[in-house]
Amino acid sequence: CEAAAASGGGGGGPPVDCVGDWGGWSDCKKQAAGGCCMRNRNYQVITPAKNGGRECPHRDGEKESDKGGCVGTCDVCTG
């Protein structure tokens, strides 16, 4: 029982912190419904948290949008 308690409980091994990262930005695209130029990227969880380790700050597949790096009007997007 003491060995299980020392290893984080339940005998599942030591805590493992989540490892994740944002992917690269997409090309700039005109958004639906007359929106302006935007680019997107997705967060990818590489190693999920286990045994009480620290969780990632974002969900796997969470999307982030940004106008940065996009040039042009809402009609013509470049970047």
Side-chain angles (χ1 to χ4, degrees), residues 1-2 5 13-15 18 23 31 34-35 38-40 45 48-49 54-57 61 64 67 71-72 74-75:
C1 290
E2 291 177 23
C18 177
Q31 298 300 297
M38 295 290 282
R39 61 185 185 164
N40 301 306
V45 172
R54 198 173 17 207
E55 294 290 332
C56 280
E64 179 179 55
K67 291 181 183 178
V71 180
C74 294
D75 295 326

Side-chain angles (χ1 to χ4, degrees), residues 28 37 69-73 76-79:
C28 295
C37 300
C70 297
V71 180
T73 66
V76 179
C77 293
T78 61

Side-chain angles (χ1 to χ4, degrees), residues 9-57:
V16 175
D17 292 342
C18 177
V19 176
D21 198 8
W22 288 102
W25 288 104
S26 69
D27 291 336
C28 295
K29 296 178 187 167
K30 184 176 177 181
Q31 298 300 297
C36 292
C37 300
M38 295 290 282
R39 61 185 185 164
N40 301 306
R41 65 181 182 169
N42 293 317
Y43 192 81
Q44 180 181 9
V45 172
I46 299 163
T47 304
K50 290 193 269 186
N51 305 323
R54 198 173 17 207
E55 294 290 332
C56 280

